[in-house]
Amino acid sequence: GEAVQPNDDLPVQAWRRLRGNGGTVAFGRLSGQRERRVLVACCEGALSVDSFFDIVQDMANDPEIGPETPILWDLRAHDIGKLSADVVRQFAYAVPRASRRRGARRGFLVDSDVAFGMMRMFEQTAVAHGFEDPGSFRVSRNARDLMAWLESA
């Protein structure tokens, strides 16, 4: 697979890159850590809601991944700052489209206050409307802490 290394703290060996409307997602595992069960998804650009959930469905149906696999979504190269609060809520309202993933841990790695706030709003909206279980999402700026939480599932 191709090396995807948007930041030195999370070197990922990607085996698949999926393109969607507005961006791409590269899926892989940490380099040299193939036995780890946590999947890393590095997002680039600004994926549309439909493209994002089409990619999530493809991933959940992939026998190498499956719906229960914990995922670290590296959003540091995703243009979250360009999304409005309404679009973030649309992402949350679309969570039921990935119902097979309900209860699987998902960590969101961000690098700005705006992205942190947007992802917390996504998390709170999805949980408040009953689309996802409390404790399934975590937002952080620290890759190591997020990976440790995901691996503890």
Side-chain angles (χ1 to χ4, degrees):
E2 98 187 70
V4 176
Q5 205 163 352
N7 293 285
D8 291 338
D9 62 340
L10 200 63
V12 174
Q13 196 67 29
W15 79 84
R16 181 179 303 153
R17 181 180 294 274
L18 299 175
R19 296 195 183 285
N21 184 16
T24 62
V25 179
F27 291 100
R29 308 255 186 224
L30 289 184
S31 298
Q33 302 291 328
R34 284 185 218 139
E35 71 281 356
R36 285 187 169 173
R37 61 188 201 97
V38 175
L39 185 70
V40 178
C42 300
C43 299
E44 298 171 349
L47 285 165
S48 70
V49 173
D50 288 337
S51 288
F52 178 78
F53 281 98
D54 287 347
I55 289 170
V56 169
Q57 288 291 63
D58 288 347
M59 178 206 58
N61 293 329
D62 185 323
E64 289 186 45
I65 302 169
E68 297 89 21
T69 301
I71 298 180
L72 188 153
W73 289 96
D74 185 348
L75 302 176
R76 296 175 292 183
H78 195 270
D79 295 329
I80 293 177
K82 293 182 180 178
L83 301 178
S84 68
D86 286 339
V87 170
V88 173
R89 282 190 289 274
Q90 287 174 23
F91 272 94
Y93 295 141
V95 166
R97 290 173 52 184
S99 61
R100 291 185 59 217
R101 299 257 326 129
R102 187 176 183 125
R105 282 192 178 183
R106 281 150 287 175
F108 301 99
L109 183 61
V110 299
D111 62 358
S112 71
D113 290 342
V114 170
F116 189 90
M118 291 290 206
M119 292 312 300
R120 289 285 292 141
M121 182 173 56
F122 164 81
E123 171 189 11
Q124 291 171 351
T125 302
V127 170
H129 287 278
F131 301 145
E132 187 51 77
D133 302 329
S136 294
F137 296 139
R138 182 168 287 182
V139 182
S140 180
R141 293 178 185 92
N142 186 299
R144 285 180 194 252
D145 290 349
L146 204 50
M147 186 59 77
W149 176 74
L150 289 164
E151 289 178 330
S152 70

